[in-house]
Amino acid sequence: MKLKNILITVNDMETSIAFYRELFGLEVILNQDGNVILTEGLVLQDAKIWKAFLDKEILPKNNSCELYFEEKNIEEFVKKLENYKEPIEYVNQLMTHSWGQQVIRFYDPNGNLIEVGTPMEPLTLPPAPVAHQDD
């Protein structure tokens, strides 16, 4: 099995497409009846469709999940946020965790939580022990 996409709901598709294109460089792969697939596997779905499908309320800013992006030049990204045409609602300004990673968190125009952090080095695991057969 393979995870293919992450879907988030949006109230204004054009505003959301512009937000993800201008700030993150994502491009539209498919635009079909209130469903838009962007590069990197992000799917935007019109909130009305999602609400009708689930028959439940959509809760913006519920802080139960986040989209996570990595950016080597985070200071330039912060400048891009500060100069974005629409106001950005920050959860936290640029900060540095105790392990050295810099991160910033904010909401997209629809209340979806986003974190952008500097890349972390992957953990290097020791090699697995080699099984020996008893002869």
Side-chain angles (χ1 to χ4, degrees):
M1 187 177 297
K2 181 176 164 182
L3 176 64
K4 293 293 288 183
N5 299 101
I6 302 295
L7 182 145
I8 60 173
T9 61
V10 301
N11 296 312
D12 182 330
M13 190 63 74
E14 294 310 312
T15 297
S16 297
I17 290 170
F19 178 85
Y20 285 99
R21 179 187 308 118
E22 293 170 24
L23 289 175
F24 299 94
L26 303 183
E27 296 296 334
V28 173
I29 296 173
L30 178 69
N31 188 342
Q32 184 176 16
D33 298 325
N35 292 289
V36 173
I37 300 175
L38 302 175
T39 50
E40 302 299 324
L42 183 60
V43 177
L44 309 178
Q45 185 172 69
D46 187 299
K48 293 176 201 145
I49 295 170
W50 188 246
K51 184 177 178 181
F53 180 72
L54 290 183
D55 194 27
K56 297 194 182 291
E57 289 299 314
I58 296 169
L59 304 172
K61 299 180 190 171
N62 64 25
N63 303 315
S64 64
C65 64
E66 71 179 13
L67 298 177
Y68 174 74
F69 295 86
E70 288 188 339
E71 173 59 53
K72 290 179 185 176
N73 193 341
I74 200 155
E75 290 84 7
E76 284 299 313
F77 181 76
V78 170
K79 287 179 190 173
K80 196 189 273 191
L81 282 176
E82 291 169 353
N83 294 316
Y84 192 63
K85 61 188 173 190
E86 301 293 330
I88 300 293
E89 183 178 348
Y90 295 93
V91 175
N92 65 268
Q93 297 290 330
L94 186 61
M95 60 175 278
T96 304
H97 286 296
S98 60
W99 55 87
Q101 183 188 33
Q102 292 184 290
V103 299
I104 188 167
R105 288 185 186 88
F106 52 95
Y107 294 110
D108 79 356
N110 304 284
N112 296 299
L113 183 59
I114 297 173
E115 177 180 344
V116 177
T118 52
M120 296 293 298
E121 294 296 321
L123 291 175
T124 304
L125 300 176
V130 177
H132 296 282
Q133 290 186 357
D134 296 325
D135 290 289

